[in-house]
């Protein structure tokens, strides 16, 4: 069992506090992704789990044991770094087996484990090569192989794919997912790439400035962002987030953007909105689409609106339309390759089933 539990964990570098009381439970065999902007403390958290960085306060448990005072090599963790950290003068076999050799593992066992890891990663033919004779993707596989042979109970990945080009990154992302299906271990994976986070994770932790903003499944954080930060960070292109005021017209609450543009707010259980409140409206680009498009079928609360096209970004399979509704700018998304001239007027539909409202002051979801 390798559950990983962080209780009220703090980290200070001198006077600067960079992790401010993090509580997190990672289940056995779970694939947990830590995501957040540069400098938010992802690597620091991971390094504290690995034991490469001392914690300033709090408790970290791996399995049943508190590991605050346990040396890195005795924590049952194996870490894969962004820069691979391979030994340049050793061939692939030696790089992968070095840690085992240090631990005094018998030669036949070393050969068996390296062979198995090489099979899993498809690098059997590379065992005699030195790192400089490998491509970036192959080096990353060797780095993962070196972690696998140790049979860790927890895998720690720190941005393992960020040195690779976009195509290879996609391919390796799938390989990491497959790896987790084959080598059943707990994984903590750090990235700033929200697509990696969405596609790999059982659950995602969104971090900002050393604090957790939200923990949830990819669908949770995508469909029910707890605040404007998570709403804007997860999803590409990002969610439309626009300031508005709640106004009441004969009992019907509306979002008022300006004199010319208001949206009725469908009643929803648990909503905490009131007349006069300053808010931020959230609407994902896919919830704003062409009136005659198939995406708008089956929407219970559809609001039709005419807007002017500002900029068009055709991506092939879909088109992003930068729209202007009475002076308010939205990004919309349409299926397929759409050729639309800037300045054209389009009939669009907003899917208000998928409307989000956040309090302007607290930035927390209130609808
Ligand atoms: N050894 C150190 N001494 C002082 N400050 C540090 C040290 N290591 C990290 N920090 C600070 O701690 C904060 C968190 O850093 P960390 O490396 O964990 O961020 P990150 O989320 O991994 O960022 P990135 O995405 O850029 O890798 C940053 O403000 C950083 O400057
Ligand atoms: Mg980092």
């Amino acid at each position: 069992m390798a559950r990983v539990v962080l209780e009220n964990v703090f980290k200070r570098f001198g006077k600067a506090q960079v992790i401010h009381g993090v509580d997190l439970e990672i289940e056995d065999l779970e694939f947990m992704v830590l995501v957040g902007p540069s400098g938010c403390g992802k690597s620091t958290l991971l390094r504290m789990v690995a034991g490469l960085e001392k914690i300033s306060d709090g408790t970290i448990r791996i399995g049943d044991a508190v590991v605050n005072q346990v040396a890195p090599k005795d924590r049952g963790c194996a870490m894969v770094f962004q820069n691979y950290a391979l030994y340049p003068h050793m061939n692939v076999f030696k790089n992968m087996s070095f840690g085992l050799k240090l631990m005094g593992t018998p030669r036949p066992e070393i050969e068996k484990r390296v062979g198995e890891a090489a099979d899993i990663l498809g690098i059997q033919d590379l065992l005699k090569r030195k790192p400089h004779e490998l491509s970036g993707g192959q080096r990353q596989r060797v780095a993962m192989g070196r972690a696998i042979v140790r049979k860790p109970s927890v895998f720690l990945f720190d941005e393992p794919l960020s040195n690779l080009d976009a195509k290879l990154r996609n391919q390796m992302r799938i390989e990491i997912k497959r790896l987790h299906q084959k080598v059943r271990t707990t994984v903590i994976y750090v990235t700033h790439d929200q697509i990696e986070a969405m596609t790999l994770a059982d659950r995602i932790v969104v971090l900002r400035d050393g604090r957790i903003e939200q923990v949830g499944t990819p669908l949770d954080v995508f469909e029910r962002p707890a605040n404007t930060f998570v709403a804007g960070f997860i999803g590409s292109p990002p969610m439309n987030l626009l300031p508005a005021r709640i106004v009441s017209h004969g009992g019907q609450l509306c979002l008022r953007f300006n004199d010319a543009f208001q949206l009725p707010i469908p009643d929803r259980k648990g909503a905490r909105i009131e007349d006069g409140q300053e808010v931020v409206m959230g609407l994902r680009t896919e919830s704003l689409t062409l009136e005659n498009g198939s995406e708008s079928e089956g929407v219970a609360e559809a609001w039709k609106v005419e807007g002017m096209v500002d900029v068009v970004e055709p991506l092939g399979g879909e088109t992003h339309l930068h729209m202007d509704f009475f002076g308010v700018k939205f990004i919309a998304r349409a299926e397929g390759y759409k050729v639309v001239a800037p300045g054209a007027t389009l009939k669009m539909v907003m899917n208000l089933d998928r409307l989000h409202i956040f309090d302007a002051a607290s930035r927390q979801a209130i609808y």
Side-chain angles (χ1 to χ4, degrees):
M1 279 288 284
R3 221 165 144 252
V4 179
V5 180
L6 282 69
E7 286 169 8
N8 207 21
V9 167
F10 286 81
K11 178 66 190 179
R12 286 177 287 272
F13 289 108
K15 282 195 183 124
Q17 182 161 299
V18 300
I19 301 289
H20 313 277
V22 162
D23 287 300
L24 185 62
E25 294 190 11
I26 300 155
E27 297 304 327
D28 188 29
L29 305 186
E30 189 168 31
F31 199 121
M32 185 68 103
V33 174
L34 309 183
V35 69
S38 184
C40 70
K42 305 178 295 291
S43 297
T44 303
L45 269 181
L46 202 68
R47 292 169 59 80
M48 288 194 291
V49 173
L52 302 175
E53 205 73 76
K54 263 200 153 70
I55 62 175
S56 306
D57 233 318
T59 307
I60 297 181
R61 284 171 217 280
I62 298 177
D64 295 326
V66 172
V67 295
N68 290 16
Q69 305 297 335
V70 176
K73 66 177 177 42
D74 300 323
R75 292 193 181 196
C77 298
M79 191 146 164
V80 179
F81 301 90
Q82 173 179 349
N83 62 5
Y84 323 130
L86 301 176
Y87 299 109
H89 58 286
M90 292 185 191
N91 68 22
V92 169
F93 181 90
K94 284 191 174 151
N95 262 290
M96 283 168 69
S97 57
F98 187 64
L100 294 179
K101 205 170 156 197
L102 281 188
M103 286 190 286
T105 311
R107 179 77 190 184
E109 175 67 15
I110 289 180
E111 278 179 6
K112 179 166 163 277
R113 289 204 202 175
V114 171
E116 283 168 1
D119 276 346
I120 290 172
L121 296 162
I123 51 172
Q124 305 92 328
D125 299 339
L126 307 178
L127 292 175
K128 292 207 171 76
R129 291 208 204 162
K130 298 260 178 73
H132 75 267
E133 298 166 317
L134 302 173
S135 71
Q138 289 167 337
R139 281 179 215 169
Q140 191 50 274
R141 272 185 211 122
V142 176
M144 285 196 267
R146 188 175 51 184
I148 293 172
V149 296
R150 296 181 47 200
K151 298 194 187 263
S153 42
V154 184
F155 262 112
L156 305 172
F157 288 96
D158 193 353
E159 311 236 16
L161 307 185
S162 46
N163 282 359
L164 306 176
D165 67 41
K167 193 169 169 206
L168 194 52
R169 206 153 58 217
N170 289 347
Q171 189 188 329
M172 291 297 289
R173 195 173 70 218
I174 297 163
E175 286 194 20
I176 288 179
K177 197 153 190 172
R178 195 174 289 131
L179 180 70
H180 183 237
Q181 288 161 7
K182 279 190 201 160
V183 185
R184 305 289 293 153
T185 57
T186 308
V187 175
I188 311 178
Y189 186 104
V190 162
T191 180
H192 60 262
D193 179 331
Q194 52 94 22
I195 295 179
E196 268 173 44
M198 288 296 288
T199 51
L200 286 171
D202 291 320
R203 282 191 303 156
I204 294 176
V205 181
V206 184
L207 285 167
R208 175 168 67 156
D209 293 342
R211 289 191 174 83
I212 292 180
E213 293 281 319
Q214 188 169 1
V215 183
T217 63
L219 200 64
D220 275 338
V221 294
F222 186 78
E223 292 201 334
R224 288 174 291 281
N227 52 50
T228 51
F229 178 78
V230 176
F233 193 79
I234 301 285
S236 173
M239 185 187 278
N240 292 290
L241 290 169
L242 295 164
R245 174 182 290 162
I246 308 280
V247 294
S248 171
H249 292 300
Q252 167 70 61
L253 291 180
C254 298
L255 282 165
R256 178 197 162 92
F257 297 96
N258 59 27
D259 286 348
F261 188 31
Q262 304 193 8
L263 272 182
I265 305 171
D267 282 340
R268 198 184 284 178
K269 248 169 75 183
R272 287 165 287 138
I273 49 174
E274 57 187 45
D275 192 6
Q277 193 173 0
E278 299 292 339
V279 298
V280 176
M281 180 233 61
L283 193 71
R284 291 219 179 270
T285 55
E286 56 270 35
S287 305
L288 172 59
T289 189
L290 298 172
E291 192 184 3
N292 52 9
S294 58
E295 308 94 316
S296 55
E297 285 166 14
V299 174
E301 296 282 356
W303 177 252
K304 293 185 183 172
V305 57
E306 232 177 48
M308 198 184 73
V309 179
D310 181 16
V311 175
V312 182
E313 294 181 289
L315 302 178
E318 63 184 46
T319 302
H320 298 166
L321 301 158
H322 296 250
M323 302 294 300
D324 186 318
F325 299 109
F326 309 98
V328 187
K329 309 265 192 229
F330 280 80
I331 304 176
R333 195 188 300 212
E335 270 175 23
Y337 189 87
K338 297 280 188 292
V339 182
V340 194
T345 303
L346 287 179
K347 287 185 173 164
M348 318 243 4
V349 180
M350 289 187 179
N351 176 358
L352 300 186
D353 300 344
R354 296 292 179 90
L355 179 67
H356 301 266
I357 302 175
F358 306 91
D359 182 67
S362 73
R363 319 296 282 183
Q364 300 299 308
I366 50 173
Y367 174 89

